[in-house]
Amino acid sequence: MVEPVGNQYVVARPIYSENSFGEEHKKVHRYHKTFLDRLRVCFRCSPQKAKNIATGLLPITSWLPAYRIKEWLLSDFVSGISTGLVAVLQGLAFALLVYVRPGYGLYAAFFPVIGYFLFGTSRHISVGPFPVLSIMVGEVVLKLVDEESVENSTLTTSTAIDEERIQVAATVSLLAGIFQLLLGALQVGFVIIYLSQSLISGFTTAAAIHVVVSQLKFILQLPVVGCKEPFSIFCTLGKIGGQITKTNIADLVTALIILVIVFVVKEINERYKTKLPVPIPIELFVTVVATGISYACNFKERFQVDVIGQLEKGFKPPVQLDMRVFQSCVGEAFSIAIVGFAVAFSVAKVYSVKYDYPINGNQELIAFGLSNIFCGAFSGFAASTSLSRSGVQESTGGKTQVAGLLSAVIVMIVILAIGFLLEPLQKSVLAALALGNLKGMLMQFKEIGVLWKKDKYDCMIWVVTFLCTVILGLAIGLGVSIAFELLTIVFRTQFPKCTLLANVGRSNIYKSRKDYADIYEPEGVKIFSCPAPIFFANIDFFQDKLITAVGFNPLRVLRKRNKALRKIRKMLKKGELQMTPKSFICTVNGMNDSDEELDNNRIEELDQPTNTADLPFQIDWNAELPPNITVPRIDIHSLILDFTAVSFFDVSALRVLKATLKDFIRVEVDVYIVGVQDGFLDKLERCAFFDEEIKPSMFFISIHDAVLHILVKKNRDCSPKFKPMKVTTVLCVHSSLE
């Protein structure tokens, strides 16, 4: 019964063990489905299930019939045009990161949008080129297409090098799409949970550094051959430093002006986003102006700047795949698949929460997998989503992926008809636009200080991820970062912060005894808490911490007591130890038997419970014993193990736990376990955990129930009716018979 009294409450109920609680409240023994049961459910079919599967695999069939033309079409139309213009410019700019001709970036801005329109579940993200993925694909291109070796062979034309780069970029993108499709089909979208926000932040920041370094050669217009990872960033900087005197000043000045303008306007967009109806499309403005000035002033001839050049009209036929490329880039393609999905899903989740609609992680994997397969087959490169481009689509009024489809139409118009207008545009302008889109990623450096205050482990993950990715490259750095992140999880679970608890405020609340001054600890009772799963990797640590907390090793005490019993029996048998109603009388100066002699090759018997049934008295092991018999004293009579935060045990841990509990019980320390998860007792039954010493009655609902049970039991045991006769004094009389 619970009675509120002001801002307090009074609870009146019995002391519950797990068994008594289950009996009183009629605990239901549930049937747990077996693997075969789940298979039957999985393969069972019905019209409704078939419809749900169809709409799940093709989400457009569920939202397009419900499309509100009058309310949404105009907003989607405006948003689609704005997003399409930005997508054109970013596609051209990010193609430089892949080391292919800028025109191929338009394919990456077109084909994935079509696939996502049909199969995606987010209404607001803009699918297309993303700088991090582009630089990852570019590293594969550098790895597999060695410019110097190609130039020294019979294929000496730049066209041959470009074609090989395009083939590699398309192949690795298609393979990444296959990985995403397989992961989605296998319903393993949960892999995203292994990429924490700290890891993604550190990785994208490091990728932004790689992007900056890779674009320097376009800003300075230097003929720098790309380097292979690891340590590619230092190699590239070295080559740029060696050729810095060959810098094209016109390209450098143009890029710096563009960078300053883009950064300033983006800062204005950020500060006044609540007042501006739409973000200022600064990329579009500077592109139009820069293209016009370059064309009017003939920059290519006057200053020898590097321009986009001819953009091929129309679409390319499906690319011919090279199986050797497949075999050479499996690891990199898998990294691209995971990173692309992680970034896109993170952005999609932001908008799904903001506008309150569901997204499906597995279906997102399928959507991006099909989009990248489609894109790679037609000479594009891997796509994800860009936060800046998605921000444009959402802020300009986009309601659904109809806006994305219209943005693809804008890209298609550029590919088929008006692409020639961008031919005078300098590549340094595209490089500057690519760097301008990195502002948000580079600002993530501020997270280091915040993470250090919040969580040291997350801060370490960020720093290690950043350093490994910068130094070792994107693919290797991502692998090392994930391994380090998992290592921190293992470290935190393998070495949990176990504590001793005490009663706070004389209530039913128990907290760490180190954190509060007003505490109450029942005499002879220790309450030990473990806040982590207990399994094969940390059971030894748990055991050591428990022994340290109680102040003695129960197995060692048990062995000492059994050795002492052997000595006492031997002394009684020889008449060297006599008993009076109140004491021992020792008739010799001492015993000279060694422990080895007393063991008598029966060491295993020392681990058995002490048996004093053949003795005419009970021994108080904490009292004074005969000479040469030393046994560690134990100052507790009860031990409570708080397993409230322990989510699971494995079989190895249960075996060690059972042995440890028996050791405590055999040295007359009552053990109680509280707060176990539902179903834990059933698992113990299946594992044959219980026996004559370890019984289900030691499990209690809460710490307070166990403490009250101990106090009641102690008061009962201390009454004269139940108090056993104990020998508390030892008198030694030196014998004269020598």
Side-chain angles (χ1 to χ4, degrees):
M1 181 179 66
V2 181
E3 295 183 0
V5 182
N7 63 347
Q8 301 178 341
Y9 66 88
V10 178
V11 180
R13 65 169 177 82
I15 299 173
Y16 284 126
S17 67
E18 287 281 352
N19 284 345
S20 62
F21 185 82
E23 291 172 0
E24 180 172 334
H25 296 281
K26 299 179 181 180
K27 182 178 179 181
V28 177
H29 293 279
R30 294 180 297 159
Y31 172 74
H32 296 279
K33 291 182 180 179
T34 64
F35 179 70
L36 289 177
D37 294 332
R38 298 182 187 279
L39 279 181
R40 292 191 191 100
V41 173
C42 182
F43 289 103
R44 188 178 299 158
C45 190
S46 66
Q48 185 60 40
K49 185 175 181 181
K51 180 181 178 181
N52 292 339
I53 292 175
T55 55
L57 292 176
L58 203 63
I60 189 175
T61 58
S62 61
W63 65 263
L64 190 58
Y67 188 80
R68 304 174 189 173
I69 297 177
K70 294 182 179 180
E71 298 177 31
W72 293 348
L73 185 58
L74 181 59
S75 298
D76 281 340
F77 181 77
V78 174
S79 175
I81 293 177
S82 305
T83 307
L85 294 174
V86 175
V88 168
L89 301 176
Q90 291 188 351
L92 294 172
F94 297 157
L96 300 181
L97 303 176
V98 188
Y99 301 98
V100 297
R101 292 195 295 271
Y104 286 87
L106 298 177
Y107 301 149
F110 174 76
F111 289 108
V113 178
I114 306 299
Y116 193 84
F117 174 76
L118 297 173
F119 299 100
T121 59
S122 175
R123 303 174 189 172
H124 294 90
I125 65 172
S126 174
V127 180
F130 179 58
V132 174
L133 282 197
S134 300
I135 194 69
M136 292 180 76
V137 175
E139 288 196 349
V140 180
V141 171
L142 286 179
K143 172 185 172 183
L144 300 182
V145 182
D146 191 335
E147 293 183 22
E148 295 177 351
S149 64
V150 172
E151 290 175 357
N152 294 332
S153 66
T154 56
L155 300 174
T156 56
T157 63
S158 60
T159 303
I161 298 175
D162 288 340
E163 291 299 328
E164 190 170 353
R165 288 174 176 170
I166 293 164
Q167 186 183 52
V168 171
T171 302
V172 71
S173 300
L174 190 147
L175 184 56
I178 292 174
F179 278 127
Q180 290 175 328
L181 182 60
L182 289 175
L183 292 173
L186 294 174
Q187 302 289 293
V188 289
F190 62 85
V191 294
I192 185 64
I193 65 176
Y194 293 105
L195 301 181
S196 67
Q197 189 59 43
S198 301
L199 186 144
I200 293 175
S201 176
F203 180 79
T204 52
T205 306
I209 301 297
H210 279 275
V211 172
V212 170
V213 173
S214 68
Q215 295 304 285
L216 286 178
K217 74 174 189 177
F218 297 106
I219 291 175
L220 304 176
Q221 198 188 330
L222 299 176
V224 176
V225 178
C227 299
K228 301 176 183 178
E229 59 180 30
F231 313 116
S232 60
I233 193 168
F234 304 107
C235 173
T236 303
L237 288 173
K239 290 183 178 181
I240 291 175
Q243 303 182 40
I244 195 70
T245 55
K246 301 178 183 178
T247 299
N248 187 305
I249 302 301
D251 269 326
L252 176 60
V253 172
T254 302
L256 291 177
I257 293 174
I258 297 295
L259 272 176
V260 171
I261 294 174
V262 169
F263 274 123
V264 169
V265 175
K266 281 186 175 292
E267 186 65 27
I268 293 174
N269 285 339
E270 181 65 26
R271 289 194 178 187
Y272 300 100
K273 60 183 177 181
T274 57
K275 298 181 180 180
L276 293 172
V278 294
I280 301 172
I282 187 60
E283 293 95 340
L284 177 62
F285 292 157
V286 297
T287 300
V288 171
V289 173
T291 303
I293 294 176
S294 176
Y295 175 76
C297 299
N298 196 13
F299 276 10
K300 182 178 180 181
E301 299 297 333
R302 293 181 61 183
F303 302 108
Q304 289 74 48
V305 298
D306 196 6
V307 298
I308 291 178
Q310 183 179 1
L311 291 176
E312 300 179 13
K313 287 187 177 181
F315 296 99
K316 292 286 186 180
V319 66
Q320 184 177 359
L321 303 178
D322 188 347
M323 293 306 298
R324 291 176 299 177
V325 177
F326 264 87
Q327 298 171 1
S328 303
C329 62
V330 172
E332 291 87 347
F334 187 77
S335 299
I336 291 169
I338 295 299
V339 172
F341 171 65
V343 172
F345 189 76
S346 300
V347 177
K349 198 171 182 180
V350 170
Y351 290 116
S352 72
V353 172
K354 182 176 181 180
Y355 291 97
D356 191 24
Y357 62 86
I359 56 173
N360 187 318
N362 292 314
Q363 183 60 30
E364 287 294 290
L365 270 172
I366 293 174
F368 278 101
L370 292 172
S371 298
N372 282 323
I373 291 173
F374 191 32
C375 183
F378 289 92
S379 304
F381 50 85
S384 179
T385 186
S386 166
L387 188 59
S388 61
R389 195 169 59 248
S390 297
V392 171
Q393 179 167 318
E394 184 259 346
S395 62
T396 52
K399 304 295 183 183
T400 65
Q401 282 301 324
V402 170
L405 184 64
L406 292 173
S407 72
V409 172
I410 299 298
V411 177
M412 184 179 66
I413 292 173
V414 174
I415 294 173
L416 297 178
I418 62 174
F420 68 94
L421 296 175
L422 296 172
E423 291 177 1
L425 183 62
Q426 298 167 245
K427 287 186 178 180
S428 59
V429 174
L430 293 179
L433 292 177
L435 298 187
N437 281 282
L438 301 177
K439 176 178 177 292
M441 296 184 192
L442 294 174
M443 293 300 290
Q444 291 176 145
F445 277 111
K446 296 188 296 185
E447 293 184 10
I448 298 178
V450 177
L451 288 175
W452 181 257
K453 295 177 182 178
K454 290 182 177 180
D455 191 293
K456 302 293 190 297
Y457 282 105
D458 275 339
C459 185
M460 289 172 58
I461 291 172
W462 198 103
V463 173
V464 170
T465 300
F466 175 79
L467 293 177
C468 289
T469 306
V470 167
I471 296 172
L472 300 177
L474 298 177
I476 300 176
L478 178 63
V480 174
S481 302
I482 293 175
F484 178 78
E485 180 185 46
L486 296 178
L487 186 63
T488 62
I489 297 173
V490 171
F491 185 82
R492 281 188 270 193
T493 56
Q494 190 169 350
F495 305 103
K497 294 182 179 180
C498 300
T499 55
L500 281 175
L501 306 183
N503 185 281
V504 179
R506 300 298 178 103
S507 64
N508 64 337
I509 299 173
Y510 292 81
K511 295 288 187 179
S512 174
R513 60 189 292 192
K514 296 180 180 179
D515 296 336
Y516 296 89
D518 181 19
I519 63 173
Y520 164 68
E521 296 182 274
E523 185 179 356
V525 179
K526 294 285 187 181
I527 307 172
F528 184 78
S529 176
C530 178
I534 301 178
F535 55 106
F536 66 93
N538 68 357
I539 183 62
D540 291 334
F541 178 83
F542 168 82
Q543 190 179 35
D544 293 341
K545 284 292 185 180
L546 178 59
I547 290 172
T548 302
V550 299
F552 62 91
N553 186 327
L555 181 58
R556 188 174 301 168
V557 172
L558 178 62
R559 289 175 176 174
K560 288 282 188 180
R561 288 186 178 183
N562 279 321
K563 287 181 181 181
L565 276 176
R566 290 184 183 180
K567 290 183 180 181
I568 291 173
R569 288 191 180 98
K570 188 172 182 179
M571 293 173 69
L572 288 172
K573 186 176 181 180
K574 292 182 178 181
E576 297 169 348
L577 187 67
Q578 298 178 2
M579 177 216 168
T580 67
K582 293 186 178 181
S583 64
F584 288 127
I585 298 178
C586 185
T587 59
V588 294
N589 285 329
M591 292 284 294
N592 297 321
D593 297 324
S594 65
D595 287 344
E596 289 75 16
E597 181 182 352
L598 287 168
D599 288 348
N600 196 23
N601 297 323
R602 294 180 297 172
I603 299 178
E604 66 278 358
E605 294 183 5
L606 298 178
D607 295 343
Q608 300 304 313
T610 54
N611 184 10
T612 60
D614 59 328
L615 298 179
F617 50 80
Q618 287 187 346
I619 300 176
D620 184 353
W621 293 106
N622 288 331
E624 192 174 347
L625 298 174
N628 292 338
I629 298 180
T630 304
V631 176
R633 298 188 178 187
I634 297 177
D635 58 355
I636 68 171
H637 55 75
S638 300
L639 172 64
I640 299 175
L641 299 179
D642 177 21
F643 286 165
T644 306
V646 178
S647 57
F648 72 90
F649 281 85
D650 68 356
V651 176
S652 300
L654 287 178
R655 179 179 55 81
V656 177
L657 178 66
K658 182 176 181 178
T660 304
L661 297 184
K662 283 190 173 185
D663 291 338
F664 278 106
I665 293 171
R666 289 170 180 176
V667 295
E668 301 171 1
V669 174
D670 296 329
V671 181
Y672 303 92
I673 299 176
V674 302
V676 296
Q677 303 295 315
D678 292 337
F680 182 65
L681 291 181
D682 296 335
K683 180 177 181 178
L684 296 184
E685 290 281 1
R686 294 194 302 270
C687 295
F689 188 79
F690 300 115
D691 55 24
E692 294 181 356
E693 294 177 283
I694 300 179
K695 302 176 182 179
S697 58
M698 66 167 49
F699 289 83
F700 280 77
I701 291 292
S702 68
I703 298 176
H704 203 54
D705 284 282
V707 170
L708 295 178
H709 172 79
I710 292 169
L711 295 177
V712 170
K713 180 182 177 183
K714 197 64 178 174
N715 290 335
R716 183 178 67 244
D717 291 345
C718 290
S719 65
K721 183 177 179 181
F722 296 98
K723 186 175 181 181
M725 183 185 76
K726 292 187 179 180
V727 179
T728 57
T729 308
V730 175
L731 299 177
C732 291
V733 180
H734 298 299
S735 175
S736 59
L737 302 175
E738 295 185 356

